[in-house]
Amino acid sequence: MPTDARILAAGALLKTRGAANIDHPGGTLLDHLHRVRELLAGWGADPSLQVAGLCHAAYGTDGFSTALLRLDERFMLAEMIGAETEQVVYLYGSCDRMHVYPQLDERAVDFVDRFNGAHTVPAQPALRAFVEITAANELDVVRHNVEIAHEHGGSLAALFVRAGRHLSFQAREAWSSQSQP
């Protein structure tokens, strides 16, 4: 399926599952998901990463527990956006942030799945995709929530400096610009 069709189909699914009715900094969850995809596009991300960014919260996240799809519905998203792209979405949603984030300055990361407790070491492409989506997600949140920006903006900027080896130049620059007064 061409990328534009995947974006439209995924956006329609997310809307059908209620993303347009869930509050999120900057409007609704659907608004946020589209902004994350647009940030990734602006950073030159490949189309599959953009689609993964759009769907990144489909299974909920460690920081936003509301899920739009159940884990037993992974096949549905995989059919729509492609199996490899869905695996990136699952990796993002399954991340145990307390365990993973402190390691993001490393080449290899012991990744803990918050759904089942499994430990894996993602391949570099998957890890880079995860960190890039994380940078776009958190940047959108701090841009749309002053309290979160004040409380966590500095530590997030420091995280993305440490994780810079896994980020695109554009993502590093966006966070560098964000952290300046």
Side-chain angles (χ1 to χ4, degrees):
M1 182 182 304
T3 301
D4 287 346
R6 289 191 300 164
I7 290 169
L8 290 173
L13 174 64
L14 297 168
K15 187 173 182 178
T16 299
R17 291 303 183 102
N21 301 317
I22 299 169
D23 288 336
H24 197 277
T28 67
L29 178 58
L30 188 62
D31 297 330
H32 166 70
L33 297 173
H34 280 291
R35 288 192 308 264
V36 168
R37 189 203 67 77
E38 290 164 3
L39 275 170
L40 292 166
W43 295 348
D46 69 61
S48 290
L49 185 57
Q50 292 178 41
V51 173
L54 174 63
C55 298
H56 76 272
Y59 308 121
T61 71
D62 199 4
F64 191 80
S65 63
T66 302
L68 302 172
L69 294 169
R70 298 183 317 269
L71 295 180
D72 65 358
E73 296 177 311
R74 288 183 64 188
F75 74 92
M76 182 187 332
L77 189 59
E79 287 176 0
M80 184 174 293
I81 66 174
E84 287 184 28
T85 304
E86 188 279 334
Q87 288 174 357
V88 171
V89 172
Y90 180 83
L91 183 68
Y92 187 88
S94 71
C95 175
D96 177 335
R97 293 179 180 184
M98 294 292 288
H99 184 83
V100 171
Y101 280 19
Q103 303 174 64
L104 290 181
D105 59 337
E106 302 294 329
R107 284 198 188 281
V109 173
D110 174 39
F111 208 92
V112 173
D113 184 320
R114 71 185 179 96
F115 298 126
N116 62 25
H119 287 251
T120 59
V121 177
Q124 283 300 306
L127 182 58
R128 288 183 61 83
F130 168 81
V131 178
E132 194 84 355
I133 292 170
T134 301
N137 172 68
E138 298 297 357
L139 185 60
D140 183 69
V141 170
V142 299
R143 285 180 173 172
H144 290 91
N145 187 307
V146 175
E147 291 174 15
I148 291 174
H150 179 71
E151 186 173 343
H152 300 290
S155 61
L156 287 168
L159 170 68
F160 296 118
V161 166
R162 288 193 334 271
R165 75 172 64 221
H166 303 297
L167 289 170
S168 66
F169 172 79
Q170 295 87 344
R172 289 191 311 269
E173 284 294 304
W175 269 98
S176 176
S177 299
Q178 179 66 30
S179 64
Q180 296 174 5

